[in-house]
């Protein structure tokens, strides 16, 4: 009998036809009448093997103590024999688990993962079930064998595979396995079908009638049936409570329905207003059409007027063209006359050029002779002047007399010595003053440098103070908001981004600032990571340029230009790049990528693309970092050319080792302890202010010293200037005194000879000058003759050219007239084109207005099919509609919204009707359920009585067949929930029947075996398994019990029997040919496929 839920009451199976003869209509709880419970199979049960449900093979992998074990079973009787600890019970446990049983059913563990062999991560059980004959399950799909495979892992997960004979997976669903077990009537949790070791031991050793009754209920599935009835009754009570609650709400809901119905009926007054408003809306729709028609008529009228102006513009264009032709003709005539005049001038050109060239040559000769004459005249004047100067000097010398200069010379020398002594004293004073001046200047320069340096230090410290204040304010603002570290505008910016993303303006939500999108796994690397990533921490990344433009507009609104973040555009991906091959490989040092904690692939991919964080190592000690990254010391880590220390120092190894120290001592963005940073910055600010105050005091002292030295410097400069003036005065006087010379004796003979020579030269040069003057006069006459000839030719050409000048003026005027005419023609052509364009524009407007009119007509017809020729204006109709709408709203306000009232009324009414219907249906269902439960309970009591009577008769029959001398009785009390087994082993006079408690262990085990055989006969299952059922029996009772079971087996060849025992079955003399004994090897956890042999030591095929 199956325990599956949802089945009908137990009755005849599909495979057997059961007839109950002489059934009493009423059966007592404790005493059942004798009945004919004969069951006739539809096949010969004495000869034919079962076609379905037989276990042909059990395969274990990593299950309990077995690494690999395959057990092939016969279709009838099978013994699995082995010592304790050899793993016999694991086979039965695998059968239960493999067919979907729970771990608790096996009594070997609480969870299925406990069956996995120690040291393994998963286990596998495979069960082969026979599937033949007319009752086969989906024979076309599975064939004559169904393979059930179940795998389970250490994490508790489990999976099924249902395969055909060829190994093809047909299904992986648990429901398919349940259907197969129902078809084969296999009940893995029924102790009659599979009696495991613990249940067998407890049941055989138990003396309690209540334990036997519970075993009886479980074996016959009556226990499950009672649980189903109890659960159905509980659901009936729950449904009853729900009905009562709904019935309590019905009066209130009915009152609400009546109230809303009254409101619904009061809405009739609004219908007239709504009808009127609908009529006005129709009239308004056609009013739009009529207005559009009037506009179209006006446009057509304007178009006709513009078209009438075209001929006038055509006439103006033709007139302008004629005037252009006339001006061109006049221009050509003037051009011809001017050409003739130019030809006449050209004929005089050779004569003019020859006269001009001759005049040019005569002018050149004249100029040369004039220059020679003037040169000689100048030389003559110089010689005369020189002669006169020498003559004057001779006269002056002759007049001067002899004079005594000795006394004057001694007086000058005395005066020079006095002046030199005074100059020497001034020079000594000047040297001393210059030395003092140099000292003061050096001190001033030094003090100025110190003051300038001090001011720079103070400015730098104040700048540093401002920066610290700003950082402190940012940290105080970021105390509760980490984003404020990246700028006070950042929270507002991210809020705007979120709003635009929710409105769907971004294709993908931008990420940023990048420094706020990840954390560090180890805070000690904060400074190094911040130095490595730099400005990237404040950057944003976008999916495409569309998102970039939107983000740029947000930056324009929210950010100031000085703190504007940068934007990185790169298509977003849903997975992180595979960097396993190209990343830096080092077993000792992590890469920057390894210390960044982020679940967003976009952030990691951006940092990989922009900075290559997978190739940058982090080395804590700076000395070790130099050693590791120096290519001259050791081989570098693969794919790594850059590293950072914990202090943020940067090391490059290509092309040579370079080391850059970090000036910052603390991280600004990536720090995790804001309170600590605030405390540190406050301390640094206090110390910095104290240092600034000290520097200011030192600066005041420097300024005072500087002023004193500058004053002394000015005094020295003034003194030096006065000394220099006096010294210059003395030196000038000394120079003048030393420059005075005594006159030498006078000799004028040389000067008189020089005067004579000059007179001779003057006479000769006068003769040459006169000759040159004569030549100059001849050349001047020749030049005048040639000039007169040139003027005559030039006059002739001028006369001809003067004739052409008026023609040139007329020619220029003709060109101007042509340009004016062309301009007028172009003007009128443009006006004509503009008019044509205007006409085309008017035509386009007419066409567009016609299309709009057609569209308005279609829209109006959708509102009202028949045209309404109204004279009312659009504004008038709209005003009336507005007034009607106000009246409707006023009415709705007093009565409520019509649509809402209608909708609410129908909802309330439908809900009321629905609840009433549901209450009636539930009441009918509860009544039907109560009747069905009563009927099923009555039938279950009858079936329980039938099963009890059948078990009792089978028990008596088993005892009588095996122990004819024993008297036995099986008393079942359903009221007390007990089963009492009463037997009388001997026929000694005076000795009565005894119950189980007074029997020996072997007799009690024998009686229990008889009880199990009676349950076997009462319940159907394709196979029966017993694990160590004979553990408490002696050899005699074991032999008797086994004979009984073999007798049952002989009569039930369509059943499969599997016995597990540590006893040697070969000594029992089992005579069933189809039986098999499987010997388990001595305990060895590494065994493979079990060896087996027939009971008569003859080789047989495992499938027979």
């Amino acid at each position: 009998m199956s325990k599956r839920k949802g089945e009908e009451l137990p009755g005849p199976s599909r495979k057997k036809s059961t007839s109950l003869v002489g059934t009493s209509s009423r059966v007592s709880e404790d005493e059942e009448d004798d009945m004919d419970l004969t069951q006739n199979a539809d096949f010969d049960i004495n000869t034919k093997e079962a076609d379905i449900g037989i276990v042909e093979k059990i395969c274990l992998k990593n299950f309990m103590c077995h690494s690999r074990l395959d057990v092939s079973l016969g279709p009838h009787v099978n013994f699995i024999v082995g010592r304790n600890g050899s793993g016999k019970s694991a086979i039965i446990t695998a059968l239960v688990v493999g067919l979907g049983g729970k771990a608790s059913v096996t009594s070997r563990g609480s969870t299925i993962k406990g069956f996995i062999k120690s040291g393994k991560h998963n286990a596998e059980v495979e069960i082969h079930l026979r599937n033949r004959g007319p009752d086969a399950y989906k024979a076309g799909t599975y064939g004559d064998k169904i393979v059930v495979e179940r795998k389970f892992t250490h994490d508790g997960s489990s999976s099924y595979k249902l395969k055909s004979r060829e190994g093809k997976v047909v299904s992986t669903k648990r429901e398919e396995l349940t259907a197969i077990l129902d078809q084969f009537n296999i009940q893995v949790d029924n102790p009659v079908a599979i009696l495991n070791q613990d249940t067998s031991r407890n049941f055989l050793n138990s003396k309690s009638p209540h334990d036997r009754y519970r075993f009886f209920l479980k074996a016959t599935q009556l226990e499950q049936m009672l649980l189903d009835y109890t659960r159905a009754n509980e659901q009936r009570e729950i449904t009853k409570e729900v009905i009562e609650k709904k019935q309590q709400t019905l009066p209130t809901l009915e009152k609400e329905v009546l109230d809303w119905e009254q409101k619904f009926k009061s809405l009739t007054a609004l219908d007239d207003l709504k009808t009127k408003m609908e009529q006005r809306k129709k009239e308004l729709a056609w009013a739009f059409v009529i207005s559009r028609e009037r506009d179209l008529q006006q446009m057509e009228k304007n178009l006709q007027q513009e078209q009438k102006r075209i001929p006038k513009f055509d006439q103006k264009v033709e007139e302008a063209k004629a005037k252009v032709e006339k001006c061109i003709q006049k221009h050509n005539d003037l051009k011809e006359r001017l050409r003739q005049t130019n030809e006449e001038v050209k004929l005089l050109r050779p004569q003019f050029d020859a006269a001009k060239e001759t005049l040019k040559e005569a002018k050149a000769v004249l100029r040369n002779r004039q220059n020679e004459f003037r040169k000689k005249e100048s030389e003559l004047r110089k010689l005369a002047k020189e002669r006169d100067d020498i003559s004057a000097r001779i006269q002056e010398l002759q007049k001067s007399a002899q004079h005594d200069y000795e006394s004057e010379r001694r007086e000058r020398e005395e005066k020079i010595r006095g002046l030199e002594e005074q100059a020497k004293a001034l020079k000594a004073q000047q040297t001393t003053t210059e030395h003092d001046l140099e000292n003061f200047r050096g001190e001033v320069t030094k003090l100025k440098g110190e003051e300038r340096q001090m001011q720079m230090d103070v400015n730098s410290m104040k700048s540093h103070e401002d920066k610290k204040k700003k950082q402190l304010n940012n940290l105080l603002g970021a105390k509760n908001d980490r984003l404020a570290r990246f700028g006070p505008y950042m929270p507002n910016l991210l809020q705007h981004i979120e709003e635009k993303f929710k409105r769907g303006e971004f294709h993908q939500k931008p990420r940023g600032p990048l420094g706020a999108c990840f954390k560090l796994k180890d805070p000690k690397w904060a400074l190094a990571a911040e130095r490595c990533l730099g400005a990237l921490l404040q950057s944003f990344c976008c999916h495409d340029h569309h998102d970039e433009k939107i983000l740029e507009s947000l930056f324009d609104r929210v950010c100031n230009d000085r703190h504007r973040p940068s934007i990185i555009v790169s298509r977003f991906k849903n997975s992180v790049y595979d960097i396993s091959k190209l990343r830096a490989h080092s077993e000792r040092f992590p890469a920057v990528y390894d210390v960044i904690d982020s679940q967003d692939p976009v952030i990691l991919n951006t940092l990989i693309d922009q900075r290559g964080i997978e190739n940058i190592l982090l080395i804590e000690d700076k000395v070790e970092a130099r050693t590791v990254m120096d290519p001259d010391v050791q081989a570098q880590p693969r794919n790594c050319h850059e590293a950072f220390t914990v202090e943020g120092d940067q090391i490059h190894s290509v092309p040579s080792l370079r080391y850059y120290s970090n000036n910052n001592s603390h991280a600004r963005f990536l720090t995790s302890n804001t309170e600590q940073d605030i405390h540190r910055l406050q301390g640094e600010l206090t110390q910095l202010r104290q240092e600034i105050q000290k520097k200011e005091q030192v600066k005041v002292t420097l300024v005072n010293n500087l002023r004193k030295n500058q004053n002394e410097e000015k005094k020295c400069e003034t003194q030096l200037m006065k000394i220099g003036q006096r010294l210059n005065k003395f030196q000038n006087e000394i120079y003048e005194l030393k420059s005075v010379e005594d006159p030498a004796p006078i000799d004028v003979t040389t000067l008189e000879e020089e005067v004579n020579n000059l007179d001779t030269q003057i006479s000769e040069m006068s003769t040459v000058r006169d000759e040159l003057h004569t030549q100059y006069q001849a050349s001047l006459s020749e030049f005048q003759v040639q000039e007169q000839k040139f003027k005559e030719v030039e006059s002739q050409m001028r006369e001809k050219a003067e004739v052409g000048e008026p023609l040139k003026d007329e020619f220029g005027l003709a060109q101007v007239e042509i340009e004016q005419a062309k301009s007028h023609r172009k003007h009128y052509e443009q006006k004509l084109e503009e008019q044509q364009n205007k006409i085309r524009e008017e035509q386009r407007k007419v066409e567009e207005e016609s299309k709009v009119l057609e569209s308005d007509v279609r829209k109006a017809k959708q509102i009202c099919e028949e045209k309404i020729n109204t004279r009312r204006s659009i504004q008038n109709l709209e005003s009336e509609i507005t007034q009607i709408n106000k009246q409707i709203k006023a009415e709705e306000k007093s009565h409520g919204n019509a649509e809402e009232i209608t909708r609410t009324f129908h909802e309330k009414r439908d809900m009321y009707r629905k609840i009433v219907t549901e209450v009636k249906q539930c009441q009918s269902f509860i009544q039907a359920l109560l009747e069905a439960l009563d009927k099923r309970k009555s039938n279950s009591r009858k079936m329980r009585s039938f099963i009890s009577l059948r078990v009792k008769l089978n028990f008596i029959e088993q005892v009588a067949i095996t122990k004819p001398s024993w008297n036995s009785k099986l008393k079942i009390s359903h009221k007390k929930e007990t089963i009492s087994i009463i037997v009388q082993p001997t026929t000694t006079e005076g000795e009565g029947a005894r119950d189980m408690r007074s029997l020996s262990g072997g007799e009690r085990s024998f009686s229990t075996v008889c009880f199990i055989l009676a349950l076997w006969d009462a319940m159907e299952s394709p196979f029966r398994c017993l694990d160590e059922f004979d553990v408490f029996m002696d050899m005699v009772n074991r032999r008797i019990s086994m004979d009984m079971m073999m007798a049952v087996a002989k009569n039930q060849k369509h059943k499969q029997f599997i016995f597990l025992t540590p006893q040697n079955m070969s000594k029992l003399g089992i005579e069933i040919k189809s039986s098999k004994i499987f010997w388990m090897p001595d305990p060895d956890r590494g065994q493979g496929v079990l060896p087996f042999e027939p009971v008569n030591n003859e080789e047989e095929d495992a499938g027979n």
Side-chain angles (χ1 to χ4, degrees), residues 28-40:
S28 172
E29 287 290 333
D30 298 319
E31 299 295 334
E32 290 80 5
D33 297 335
D34 293 337
M35 305 176 198
D36 183 4
L37 301 178
T38 304
Q39 295 185 359
N40 297 320

Side-chain angles (χ1 to χ4, degrees), residues 137 155 224 342 409 415 419 679 826 840 896 904 924 1091:
Y137 182 81
D155 59 3
Q224 183 64 39
N342 290 335
R409 183 179 59 77
K415 192 176 181 179
L419 291 174
H679 183 71
K826 184 177 180 181
R840 284 193 290 270
T904 306
S924 301

Side-chain angles (χ1 to χ4, degrees), residues 259-489:
D259 292 341
W260 283 103
E261 185 178 10
Q262 186 65 30
K263 292 181 181 179
F264 176 72
K265 291 179 179 178
S266 65
L267 295 176
T268 309
L270 294 173
D271 292 344
D272 294 339
L273 287 174
K274 291 183 177 179
T275 302
K276 186 177 180 181
M277 187 170 72
E278 289 297 323
Q279 184 62 31
R280 292 296 176 268
K281 287 183 177 179
K282 294 177 182 179
E283 191 173 351
L284 177 63
W286 284 106
F288 276 109
V289 173
I290 292 171
S291 176
R292 191 75 69 183
E293 288 176 344
R294 285 197 293 266
D295 293 342
L296 181 59
Q297 290 173 358
Q298 183 63 37
M299 288 181 180
E300 291 175 345
K301 184 177 179 181
N302 294 338
L303 176 61
Q304 292 174 358
Q305 291 177 351
E306 296 297 335
Q307 287 175 340
K308 290 178 180 179
R309 297 177 63 186
I310 288 292
K312 183 178 179 182
F313 283 103
D314 289 337
Q315 181 182 358
K316 288 288 184 181
V317 170
E318 293 299 327
E319 291 176 356
K321 288 181 178 179
K323 188 174 181 180
V324 169
E325 294 294 332
K326 182 177 179 182
C327 291
I328 291 173
Q329 183 62 38
K330 180 180 178 181
H331 177 268
N332 292 335
D333 293 342
L334 291 172
K335 186 177 180 181
E336 179 62 24
R337 291 171 61 189
L338 187 61
R339 184 188 64 79
Q340 293 175 358
T341 302
N342 290 335
E343 289 293 332
E344 292 176 356
V345 173
K346 285 181 181 179
L347 292 176
L348 293 174
R349 174 60 65 178
Q351 186 179 355
F352 174 80
D353 292 339
K356 185 177 180 180
E357 185 64 26
T358 303
L359 179 63
K360 182 178 179 182
E361 292 175 355
K363 186 177 181 179
V365 171
L366 176 64
R367 187 182 296 112
N368 290 333
R369 290 183 178 178
Q370 184 181 17
N371 290 336
E372 290 176 356
F373 172 76
R374 289 177 179 176
K375 183 178 179 182
K376 289 298 181 180
E377 186 72 22
S378 176
E379 290 177 357
L380 185 61
R381 283 195 296 271
K382 287 180 181 179
L383 289 174
K385 185 177 182 301
E386 186 178 357
R387 182 193 61 186
D388 293 340
D389 290 341
I390 293 172
S391 298
R393 177 63 178 164
I394 291 171
Q395 292 176 3
E396 181 181 354
L397 290 174
Q398 288 176 350
K399 289 179 180 180
S400 65
Q402 186 67 28
H403 191 271
D404 185 12
Y405 296 100
E406 185 63 28
S407 59
E408 292 179 1
R409 183 179 59 77
R410 286 195 296 271
E411 184 180 351
R412 287 198 307 272
E413 289 177 353
E414 185 66 27
K415 192 176 181 179
I416 288 171
R417 281 194 295 273
L419 291 174
E420 286 178 347
E421 288 177 359
Q422 291 180 9
K424 183 177 181 182
L426 285 175
K427 285 184 179 180
Q429 185 180 357
Q430 184 183 35
T431 303
T432 303
T433 306
E434 286 177 352
H435 179 72
D436 293 339
L437 180 61
E438 288 298 323
N439 291 338
F440 286 125
R441 282 180 178 174
E443 189 66 20
V444 167
T445 304
K446 175 184 175 185
L447 291 174
K448 282 184 177 180
E450 291 178 356
E451 188 220 358
R452 187 164 48 253
Q453 184 62 42
M454 191 64 64
Q455 185 62 44
M456 290 173 62
D457 293 344
V458 171
N459 292 339
S460 175
M461 293 172 75
K462 286 183 177 179
S463 176
H464 198 198
E465 180 188 16
D466 293 339
K467 188 182 295 184
K468 293 285 184 183
K469 284 181 182 178
K470 188 174 181 181
Q471 291 179 7
L472 180 60
N473 292 333
N474 289 339
L475 283 176
L476 290 173
K479 189 173 182 180
N480 297 320
D481 188 357
R482 186 184 176 207
L483 292 173
R485 296 183 191 175
F486 297 88
Y489 61 87

